[in-house]
Each structure stands twice: as C-alpha cells, then as structure tokens.
Amino acid sequence: MKLKIDHHPDPMIGMMPMFYALDAGLFEKRGIEPEFVQRTNVQAIEDMRGGRMDLSFSGPTLTIMARERFGLNTKFVSAAALRGAYNGRQADFNNIVAAHGVEITQPSDFEGKRLGVFALDGGITHSGPLYLFNKHGVDAATIQWRTMPFHRMADAMSAGEIDIAVNVEPFVTMMTRRGLGRTVDDVFGCGSLAMATTGNPSLVSNWWAVRETFDANPALFVETNAVLNEAINQICADPEAGLDAMSRQTGQKLELLREIGLRTSFLHACAMDAPEIREMYERWARVLRGAGLIERDVDSSVFF
C-alpha cells in the first residue's frame, strides 16, 4: 500500500512520530510504502482535493476549515501534538512574540500592528488570534497580516518587516534568544495561545485525510494510525531516539529542538474515533465560530 504524505516545511514536535516511524521501518512492517509529496500551496488543500496527497499534517482548525469553507470531506486519522495537561503529562509554551520597542500591555495594543502568521486559512495561528481579538474587543480590521513559514519569522522581525509573530517552538525560543523580542501571550489572561482559546487540554496538530480517499482504502489509514501510535509510544519511552530519528530523516541539526524536547508539546496515542479528541475538535470549532471564520455550529462527529 502506497501512502502519499504531506511534506511540511517546518520541523515541529508533532512531526516526530512520522519521522521516527520512517526511520524505524514501522510503515514497512505493516505493508505501507510512504512517499513524501512537496506542497504546491501553503496548506495543501488543493493537493488533498486533487488526490495528489493521502495524508496531511496541520492543526485541527484547518481540518475543520477544509470541510466548512473549502468543501473537502475531511477525516481525522491521528493525533500529533497536544498542549496543556492530559493523562499525567503536561506541556505548553507561549506563542506570541512582540519585537523589542513594540508595546503590548493590553489586547488593544495589537491594533494597527503588522502580525506574522503561517497562513490566513483558519489555522491555529490565524483563528486563535482572531478569536481572542473578538473576545477582548480588539478591532481586528486594523491588523496588518503578514503570512510566512514559521522559520522565516525571526528574520522578518529582525528586518523590521513585522511587529509581532504568532509562532511555534523551537522558533519562539530562537527568536527570544536572538534578542528579537519577548512573549506577550499573558495579555489575553492565559499562558499561551492554545490555552487562552480552548482551555485544557488542547489538540494543536493532527494528521487527516479526505473521506473519499479513506473510504477507497480504509485499511491503509487504520494501519497508518497504528504506525503513528506505535511511534508515539516508543518516543515517550525514549524521546532521544525520536529526536535522533527526526534529525536523520530531515538532515537538519535539531540542537534547539532537542534542548526543548517534549516540555512544550506532548505526544499521546489515540484511536481514530477517540472521544477525547472529538471533544478537542469541538473546542476548536467553537474558536473558529468565535473568530468569525465559520458561520454555523459544527457537528464534530463528522470528522470521525
């Protein structure tokens, strides 16, 4: 069985189970032949629609948005990274970095600022800020949105192209260690973007498929879920092995990610119809509604 996988441009903790599974031969053990596909647009919606990819990696908000706004019949396959506290594990980090000299002491200070986000597609770094702006009475129409990959945000802030970045680890730490700015998530009354929007716990990344692709070969995705869950369990037992595998598979030096490790996001094996993941989807659906990005309540059971 061939599995065409989304090639995401940024190495993040949520990607680690995939790279570990590749490195350890877990796909081959279950008769799956994995193949990475380069994205032809920033979030690969058209690649999934056109059948050029079978499995995509993103936040759960994009899985919901792909269905509600872009007409894709999406299907949850596997959890990637979670935040907050769950089942005896805890991890979280700040997301919002303001450049030095940019005063952010209250939510209204975001008005008129140039805000760096990954994409304006309803993803977490887009819907989360919009939800919080609406909740705190910020005039989001004054925000100057700048889209770019997470790894580009440090240089963009250094060059004075953005005032604020909504970023992920390890890039948040990279930006603060370069002296580019400081985290300001606390102005929304909670320690991080994910916790301020959905509470605890929060699913922040997952793997998903198009329902028609799933229905054509359900065994492929059932086995893929099993592969990723096996990888998650092995990484939790030996995190260094997961980081070593990720480094080998990406060819990148991961010193900062290795230093940060699993303190900022954690991995948890879940079934494809896990009720706790459904609940996390429901929370993100409420965020999207509160952000004004979807116009109706969403029945999250359709994703499972």
Side-chain angles (χ1 to χ4, degrees), residues 30-43:
R30 293 179 180 269
I32 299 173
E33 181 185 349
E35 173 187 314
F36 275 116
V37 178
Q38 296 289 339
R39 293 172 178 232
T40 57
N41 66 351
V42 72
Q43 286 287 5

Side-chain angles (χ1 to χ4, degrees), residues 76-190:
F76 170 84
V77 173
S78 176
L82 285 76
R83 301 264 291 279
Y86 182 71
N87 202 32
R89 298 192 181 107
Q90 182 169 347
D92 204 14
F93 65 90
N94 289 340
N95 291 89
I96 308 172
V97 182
H100 286 307
V102 176
E103 190 73 16
I104 302 290
T105 59
Q106 56 189 348
S108 61
D109 291 334
F110 281 83
E111 293 179 356
K113 300 299 189 297
R114 297 167 299 169
L115 185 64
V117 297
F118 187 76
L120 299 179
D121 56 4
I124 288 173
T125 65
H126 177 215
S127 62
L130 270 178
Y131 170 82
L132 294 172
F133 293 156
N134 290 343
K135 180 179 178 181
H136 292 271
V138 176
D139 184 357
T142 69
I143 304 296
Q144 301 174 55
W145 301 85
R146 302 283 189 269
T147 59
M148 62 193 69
F150 293 125
H151 66 263
R152 263 264 303 134
M153 292 184 187
D155 288 340
M157 184 170 285
S158 179
E161 298 171 11
I162 56 175
D163 302 308
I164 299 163
V166 186
N167 211 331
V168 298
E169 290 288 19
F171 307 108
V172 170
T173 295
M174 184 184 301
M175 295 176 80
T176 57
R177 288 190 180 176
R178 284 179 59 179
L180 298 176
R182 70 204 181 285
T183 56
V184 295
D185 301 60
D186 59 346
V187 302
F188 292 113
C190 197

Side-chain angles (χ1 to χ4, degrees), residues 276-291:
E276 61 269 31
I277 299 297
R278 290 192 188 205
E279 181 181 351
M280 294 181 202
Y281 257 68
E282 289 167 1
R283 293 178 182 180
W284 280 117
R286 289 196 291 270
V287 169
L288 288 167
R289 182 78 186 273

Side-chain angles (χ1 to χ4, degrees), residues 24 57 61 65-66 68 89 100 108 171 182 200-201 219 264 269 297:
F57 174 88
T61 51
M65 285 287 289
E68 294 298 308
R89 298 192 181 107
H100 286 307
S108 61
F171 307 108
R182 70 204 181 285
N200 177 58
T264 57
D297 292 331

